[in-house]
Amino acid sequence: MAEARSTVVVVTWRGRAHIRECLDALAAQDRASRVLVVDNASDDGTAELLAGHDVLRLPRNRGYAGALAAALPRVDTEFVAWLNDDAAPNPSWIATLEDALDSHGDVAAVTSSLELPDGSVQSVGVRLTADGHGADTALAGREVFGFCGGAVLMRTAALRSVGGVPAGFFCYYEDTDTSWRLRLRGWRVISVPARVVHRHGASSRLGSSKFHHWNERNRLLMLVRCAPLLVVLEQLARFVAITAVLPFRKPAPGANFRMPLRLAVLADVAWRLPASLVARARISATARVRRRELWRTWAGR
């Protein structure tokens, strides 16, 4: 058997109900890869189900980003993949992604075609919105700003060279932040039709207060770390302004417009701001592309 060129990192937390399908799909790949499962201190019997697999069991739940960061030092292959534990790739998935990286020397990350169980396309990559959100795009056939962290293959050395995974994000936006940093270093990100069926939301509580907290906080922290300064100031001011007028308006739908949540986000961002500014300086020191150039090219596309 050929030596594996890729390590597929599968992060799980209470994934007993769906991770077996993911691992079976990886075992059925046309090309060999190493599979490393990171168990975020599951307490539902997942650990027992993983017996016989290569497992890094963490003493506490460090979230998706924290688990990926913990796994990176154990990766000794040329490529590293991130795969959600509720995703099942088709047999040619890893081969298609590896071939794409082999064919494009200026590409650091190749994102997959994530499909929902009904066959509809969830994501073929991440676009950058005009207000700095990272949003899934389902429009195939063009270059994408960034990758969806649910199913992606990267050059391990490139990921390490831009600082690895932002472990403190816990969950969400670690993919868009990493895409920013790779592009600032001069790398490209592309999408290929490597099909993955994704049971979206099977391993997280979409729409919960924690979901909105992490999303809002991590978007702002990502902008502080990676975006042009004017964009950072505009988006921080916008978030504060919207929060300030909420008591004088009718309640808006969605947990992300509730005053307690937004105040908690602001407090969290303020507490993490010094470390984020240090990270920004480090990113700037090695950047080969101007932040403003990336923003002009990709924001709102």
Side-chain angles (χ1 to χ4, degrees), residues 216-233:
E216 298 288 356
R217 179 196 70 184
N218 292 349
R219 176 182 73 93
L220 294 174
L221 292 176
M222 175 195 71
L223 293 176
V224 170
R225 286 158 53 93
C226 301
L229 182 58
L230 183 59
V231 174
V232 176
L233 297 176

Side-chain angles (χ1 to χ4, degrees), residues 26 105 176 210 258:
L26 289 174
T176 312
K210 286 186 176 180
R258 293 173 187 163

Side-chain angles (χ1 to χ4, degrees), residues 170-218:
F170 190 83
C171 202
Y172 307 116
Y173 273 93
E174 65 282 325
D175 49 6
T176 312
D177 181 276
T178 303
S179 299
W180 257 109
R181 288 179 286 121
L182 288 170
R183 284 200 167 275
L184 285 168
R185 188 62 71 87
W187 290 102
R188 292 170 58 219
V189 179
I190 63 172
S191 175
V192 298
R195 182 172 172 265
V196 178
V197 178
H198 185 209
R199 292 172 58 186
H200 187 46
S203 57
S204 62
R205 293 181 57 196
L206 300 178
S208 67
S209 293
K210 286 186 176 180
F211 168 86
H212 286 295
H213 181 103
W214 292 326
N215 262 293
E216 298 288 356
R217 179 196 70 184
N218 292 349

Side-chain angles (χ1 to χ4, degrees), residues 36 60 64 79 128 137 154 194 198 206 224 247 254 287 297:
L36 173 61
R60 60 181 177 84
Y64 194 61
F79 306 134
L128 193 62
T137 180
M154 285 174 280
H198 185 209
L206 300 178
V224 170
T297 302

Side-chain angles (χ1 to χ4, degrees), residues 253-301:
N256 56 324
F257 285 101
R258 293 173 187 163
M259 178 66 77
L261 182 139
R262 294 181 74 87
L263 291 176
V265 167
L266 285 171
D268 206 350
V269 169
W271 183 71
R272 296 169 185 265
L273 189 58
S276 297
L277 291 173
V278 170
R280 180 184 179 89
R282 289 175 178 163
I283 293 166
S284 296
T286 58
R288 297 172 183 168
V289 180
R290 292 174 62 86
R291 289 183 166 91
R292 177 57 62 179
E293 180 182 338
L294 282 181
W295 183 260
R296 281 198 302 261
T297 302
W298 292 103
R301 279 186 56 172

